[in-house]
Amino acid sequence: MSGQPRCVQVLNGALAEIFETRDDVILLGEDLLDPYGGAFKVSEGLSDRWPERVLTTPISEASLFGVAAGMALRGRRPILEIMFGDFIALGFDQIVNGISKFREMFDDQVAVPLVVRTPMGGRRGYGPTHSQSLEKLLMGVPGIVVVATSECHDLRALLVSAVDDDRPVFLIENKLMYGRPNRRPVGGYLDELRVVETETRYPALTFSGSDFEGGAATIVTYGGMLPIVLEAATELILEHEVFCEVVALSQLLPLDLEPVVESVARTGACVTAEEGGLTGGVGAEIAARVQERSWGDLRRPVQRVAAHDGVIPAARELENQALPGVRDVIDAVAAVAGVRI
Amino acid sequence: MTLLERQYEQMLTIRRFEETLLRLFSEGKLTGTTHTYIGQEADAVGVIAHLDPERDVVFSNHRCHGHYIAFTGDLFGLLSEVMGRSTGTCGGKGGSQHLHRGNFYSNGVQGSIVPVSTGIALAEKEKGTGAVTTVFVGDGTLGQGALYECLNMASLWSLPLLVVVENNHYAQTTPRHLAVAGDIRARGAAFGIETDELDSTDVEEIHSAAQRAVDHVRTTGRPFFLVLHTYRFSPHSKGDDFRDPEEIAQRRAHDPLLVAGARLDGDVRARIDEAVERLIAETVEAAEAAPVAGA
Ligand SMILES: Cc1ncc(C[n+]2csc(CCOP(=O)(O)OP(=O)(O)O)c2C)c(N)n1
Ligand SMILES: [Mg+2]
């Protein structure tokens, strides 16, 4: 496992590969130039090799989303790096009234093939405005694609697919993920868990500790919550002999429901787990749809695990209390599965 | 046709088109909204004459009909779009403020078009097309911060972007002095961008100033900030005019159609007038006969 490259290296390599294979791609964002190479080093080494294709910008997020849109309208494939996911808030006019709408409101005469890459997530003590998971705000914006990366997904493939996509794609990265190994399943297994991967453009991974012979619950998650959910699932097996399936989505919007519905048909219960705030979250949308589609399979109502609705404090213990952890996932599984833990 | 005759014909076409929209609204044949360009026609005609629709790009705002007509000449696509017909330039999805055809775009959120235009200019520069991207904004839109982010980037990155500020002295009902502090032209100059300013309804004067502006962008590849002081004679939208009628009457004495028309031979002018009336009538008839979108 330690032989696997770190996620940041995989993303960096994918960017280099994209530059090598396409000449219509430009990377823009703040502080991208070498030797710094971006706040999380994803673009390291790129501006030295391709000085004309890495554009370091002023601090102008409100406009940068529109700049990328304009480039995309004219046949380029811009990749916009937003230094912290929190700052997508500055771009919402462009996202809601431009990027997401141009194609349909101009009657399919245009496409907006841009990629926004940005890290979400906390657990680094950055405090209230640099730790959020705001992808839930994008869920209500039809016309864009929201893709969450995780340390178990093929990060190279996700990034290449996003750049090849003719639609605007928001690629949600994660601050803790960058430094971790890109833990890909080998031979259909990740450690002791069996893993199946959908053959979709933005795949979902389903993990099972019982060879997909059913289980106590399906835990639907994505992004930075995946390692926490896998830890919870492993603890449930080892310490309580409770077997769950874990569905790790990458395509959040349009919501990739099929793997969830299939898993719930086997387990009869569903928990959603995300690092973003509870109210109006990704889990709320998943829960609503699972209850519409899988009502007959469900033994109990869907439970959501999420951050508390409030700021994410900087101090470590306070931050831990605000964000969902292994214990929250285990408790939610116990609740939907009707077991005492 | 001489240049002036063509300019007059284009301005009159825009004028009659917009008057027709207001009439159709009052007859209940149009729904939604519209922002007419009545009084400002010389700006669109004077500037857009220097642009090549095959190569250059125009991004306009809510008050976009004049720019659209001057750039594309597509009256039927515009009227049927505003009338909600499937033959509209966006199939009826965009309506009055959201137009696209060829290299023309518009969007109805104040200021948000400037970043997109900046990106377009950047793309065209990268592709080496030689295109000039022109974005039209009103005086009220000078309140939007994104505009200044873009002046900064356009200057930093030497983008072939022409920003035309049409100062008609009002933003909806808000007079300029309640919304715009300081000097307008200085806003462009502050970013190291070449600027010019003109207070005129004379299409020939505007044509010359715009020529210098477009030439500058084309030859240097750098942005240009052109301020055109103007006035709209009609309401902001429909029936929402709170300005002093005396002020409007004084401005109407400098109607761009009067200024240009007075320089034309009487017979020539009458022939143009007649041809434009006919064209508009035919367009209305065709659009009314076109299929309703979604029906
Ligand atoms: C962001 C935003 N705020 C408010 C409006 C509503 N609105 C439409 S036009 C307008 C006035 C615009 O004034 P100006 O920029 O001077 O252009 P003009 O209408 O005079 O051509 C306003 C406030 C809008 N479309 N977009
Ligand atoms: Mg105005």
Side-chain angles (χ1 to χ4, degrees), chain B residues 139-140 166 168-171:
Chain B
D139 48 294
E166 290 184 83
N168 61 12
H169 303 277
Y170 289 88

Coordinates of all heavy atoms in Angstrom, one line a residue, chain B residues 139-140 166 168-171, ligand 2:
Chain B
D139 N -24.0 52.7 -17.3 CA -23.4 53.4 -16.2 C -23.7 52.8 -14.8 O -22.8 52.7 -13.9 CB -23.9 54.9 -16.1 CG -25.5 54.9 -16.3 OD1 -26.0 54.5 -17.4 OD2 -26.1 55.3 -15.3
G140 N -24.9 52.2 -14.7 CA -25.3 51.6 -13.4 C -24.4 50.4 -13.1 O -24.1 50.1 -11.9
E166 N -22.0 52.7 -22.0 CA -23.0 53.6 -22.5 C -23.6 54.2 -21.3 O -24.5 53.6 -20.6 CB -24.0 52.8 -23.3 CG -23.5 52.3 -24.6 CD -24.6 51.6 -25.4 OE1 -25.4 52.3 -26.1 OE2 -24.7 50.4 -25.4
N168 N -26.2 56.3 -20.0 CA -27.4 57.0 -20.3 C -28.0 57.8 -19.1 O -29.1 58.2 -19.0 CB -28.5 56.1 -20.9 CG -28.8 54.9 -19.9 OD1 -28.5 55.0 -18.8 ND2 -29.5 53.9 -20.4
H169 N -27.1 57.9 -18.1 CA -27.4 58.7 -16.9 C -28.3 58.2 -15.9 O -28.6 58.8 -14.9 CB -27.8 60.2 -17.3 CG -26.8 60.8 -18.2 ND1 -25.7 61.5 -17.7 CD2 -26.7 60.9 -19.6 CE1 -25.0 62.0 -18.7 NE2 -25.6 61.6 -19.8
Y170 N -28.9 57.0 -16.2 CA -29.8 56.3 -15.3 C -29.5 54.8 -15.2 O -29.2 54.2 -16.2 CB -31.3 56.6 -15.7 CG -31.7 58.0 -15.5 CD1 -31.5 58.9 -16.5 CD2 -32.3 58.4 -14.3 CE1 -31.9 60.2 -16.3 CE2 -32.7 59.7 -14.1 CZ -32.5 60.6 -15.1 OH -32.8 61.9 -14.9
A171 N -29.7 54.3 -14.1 CA -29.8 52.8 -13.9 C -31.2 52.5 -13.4 O -31.5 52.8 -12.3 CB -28.8 52.3 -12.9
Ligands
MG2 MG -27.8 53.5 -17.5

